[in-house]
Amino acid sequence: MNKLLQVHDLTKTYGARTGCANVSFDLYPGEVLGIVGESGSGKTTLLRCLSAQLEPSAGTVAYDMRVKGLTDIWSLSEPERRMLTRTDWGIVHQNARDGLRMEVSAGANVGERLMAVGARHYGNIRTEAEDWLTKVEIDTGRIDDLPASFSGGMQQRLQIARNLVTQPRLVFMDEPTSGLDVSVQARLLDLIRTLVSRLGIACVIVTHDLGVVRLLAHRLMVMRRGQVVEQGLTDQVLDDPQHAYTQLLVSSILPV
Amino acid sequence: MSTQLPTQIPTGGYNFAYLDEQTKRMIRRAILKAVAIPGYQVPFGSREMPLPYGWGTGGIQVTAAIIGPEDTLKVIDQGADDTTNAVNIRSFFQKTTGVATTEKTREASLIQTRHRIPETALSEGQIMVYQVPIPEPLRWLEPREGETRKMHGLAEYGVMQVKLYEDIAHYGHISTAYDYPVRVNGRYIMSPSPIPKFDNPKMDNSPALQLFGAGREKRIYAIPPYTSVKSLDFEDHPFEIETWDGACAICGATDSYLDEIVTDDTGGRIFVCSDTDYCGERVEAGHKGADDEEKAA
Amino acid sequence: MYVAVKGGERAIDNSRLLLAEERRGDPAVPELTLAQIDQQLSLAVDRVMTEGSLYDRELAALAVKQAQGDLIEAIFLLRAYRTTLPRFGYAEPLETAAMHLRRRISATYKDLPGGQVLGPTFDYTLRLLDFDLAENGATPEAEMAEEPLAGAMPRVADILGHGGLIEPETPQDDRPVGDVTRDPMTFPADRDARLQALARGDEGFLLSLGYSTQRGYGKNHPFAGEIRLGEVAVEFVPEELGFPIEIGEITITECQMINQFQGSTTEPAKFTRGYGLTFGHCERKAMAMALVDRSLRAQELGEEPKAPAQDQEFVLYHADNVEASGFTQHLKLPHYVDFQAELVMVRRMRETAANNATPGDDFEEAAD
């Protein structure tokens, strides 16, 4: 199978401060990678570099483009890169307000990506939006309501629908469940797991919550002070952590 | 300066058409660029004019840059030649150029307008100059200039369609009534200036050159003759224009844009052509409005 | 039938005549002379020159007279005249360290070389209406000092600069200084363009913005390092000579605000500047301008722009009162074509709503 994403020696520095350093990994289609670490460990910087929101200081992020094959995303022109991020990729933000257009209806939020790539049939756009609202368990009667009137969990599910509507092959998620009640978290995680496996989407999920990665991630990367200190299959890393820091992390959250 | 000024023109101590020749050249360069890239907003060094911003300073500068002594100028505001803004601008050019002016659309080589396109079809060789208050059609969706320029550059117009989607979702149809956005030559989304959407179809494939000037916002843009101008819509909710049940009370026209005139304070109203020249021509040709027919009867 | 389509031209002519009559007021009252305005309403003239970007006391006085004392209108008149003037060149930068001072104060030092020079100011007056003035009372004379003021006094910012405590003020690069009256502004705007736009900006707008930074909307800890008023020589290099010659002297007000800067990973802590400069005596404007100049530097100094006064596009696109006044007042122009379009649309929307409303709904159809 072809690699979907190939990251090599990725480094981001801010002046003298290091965001993340020398990160390398491969991601295959349909694979879910969890990145864990405490706040300040560099995991969000890494995610922003991977998802073309932040230009790295060194290293490459190569993506398997549908036509060109593996291509460094920073060698693409800005239009190509922007097109990639809004069609073949999805980005689910920690705060739904950053990922949604709060001033337009739920239907428009889901439909926007379709319209951005040229959909011009109102009825079809609406049908598709309804379909996706159903998939993320939002009552289609709410299609014309503003996201502001939604609960936190609904907003996150709407954000997911908005991203998945163009059938991306790769989705980045930044702490998608933090800030939600425990029961709401569980439902959202369940939904993400179902959608990701049913649609075969590859995922990079950043979280400080080991419970989230245990449920969703096939593989795990543990970050500390900008460095990857340990990586491997999720169960392996969590059940038999090698690095002292990972051991500390695991022991501090048990039981999952 | 190597400018050739037309001689014997009463210009009241100012240069022909008020602007100095350097400035006119700068504006003409902007116009040429605008014509070369239909619908693209070209920044230009807009000058302070002896007319307040928002009152047609952009249109005046465009007209001043292209007007010549041989031109015949028509100025309209709201379709009429005799409204305050039109009178002011016409007298400005009479004073500073001495060119012939007309109220007849057919006779004009240059038509400066605010908010309307004449009903009489334009022809080759004519130039329309539009006064534009807010040239950026994406401004209401994105206030930042840096971001809107990027959206135009990359033709990222999804958000514009989102606005139309919202209209249909909430009202059952697109609710923009004037300044209805268009796509020019299949590329740039453009503000047609605050003309009623009734006038939008007249821009499409017009034989006349159409120039747009926004003085305060310092932008010029253009539609060359015979260029496609499409009003944004959805396949299943196509663009449509206003219709009236009645006809013009003066000339009986049913195909022109009608203004509503309130005749008393109990809801009485009549409709008359907004284009006064068109209306007058029809009356001269013997057409009658409903009121006159009643009287005759 | 009432149809207002003709007669605009004559009505406009008559309106102009009425305006002229009202400007003159009661002919029994003596007419103001430009000299009177220049001498006795000198601060109005100063403001009109500053925001009109043209140093000409007589024309500014004429503008004030013609505008019936409406200063924004007067600024507009002066600007419209200014655009028609040919450019024959650009003056050398003013050497404000060498200006002949009439007023110079610093809030950061108790005393400094040259001393604090209070000069003419409202600062120490009691704001009591002076009824003697109403009666054309005699003007008390100021006493002449025994010694003249020092010819040149160092600027406070230069004094700080010797210790490296304040950022040096150096040109951004080799490119020529821009001209916002000739070229459209682009964003992010460089400091030359920003300072020009602020100097032309509306005093009231900048005052309120500057004030907002003091109240915490983009706080930047200002100190009035120095405010100086006086006369400075204007120099110009004619091409045929190749060296500068003095072509005149103008009155200016200069304000340097000193602001704390925490420093960053790459730079040690130091003071930064906000700069204000006006024609004539416009102290409030110069101070407000300096505050806003500093707040607009947020981004280049690595501060996160959050407040309105730190938002370049917001400040620079809305600071110009000629633009703002024109666009606000253009709402007086006829808009009936657009309004008609809206009428048709609103009626249609109401019809749709009425048709959708099921019987029994308390949707009320308006009386048509």
Side-chain angles (χ1 to χ4, degrees), chain B residues 248-249 251 253 256-259 271-276 278-279 282:
Chain B
C248 172
C251 75
S256 75
Y257 189 85
L258 299 179
D259 284 332
F271 292 91
V272 298
C273 288
S274 129
D275 185 337
T276 48
Y278 181 72
C279 195
R282 281 178 53 85

Side-chain angles (χ1 to χ4, degrees), chain C residues 285-299:
Chain C
K285 163 76 186 265
M287 293 179 74
M289 175 177 166
L291 287 177
V292 178
D293 169 46
R294 175 58 183 79
S295 65
L296 288 182
R297 299 181 60 205
Q299 226 151 358

Side-chain angles (χ1 to χ4, degrees), chain B residues 48 53 78 82 88 194 257 260, chain C residues 7 16 79 326 334 337-338 340:
Chain B
E48 256 136 352
Y53 284 114
Q78 317 291 305
D82 210 34
N88 252 342
Y257 189 85
E260 182 168 333
Chain C
R16 290 182 185 136
R79 292 257 193 104
V337 164
D338 296 349
Q340 184 63 43

Side-chain angles (χ1 to χ4, degrees), chain C residues 128-142:
Chain C
L128 299 172
L129 279 175
D130 179 357
F131 295 107
D132 288 346
L133 206 53
E135 315 248 310
N136 293 324
T139 310
E141 259 181 55

Side-chain angles (χ1 to χ4, degrees), chain C residues 122-129:
Chain C
F122 291 126
D123 290 355
Y124 314 107
T125 61
L126 286 173
R127 266 61 167 208
L128 299 172
L129 279 175

Side-chain angles (χ1 to χ4, degrees), chain A residues 58-79:
Chain A
T60 53
V61 178
Y63 178 71
D64 181 25
M65 304 278 289
R66 285 180 194 261
V67 179
K68 307 187 192 183
L70 272 181
T71 313
D72 182 12
I73 57 167
W74 293 102
S75 72
L76 298 173
S77 67
E78 192 177 2

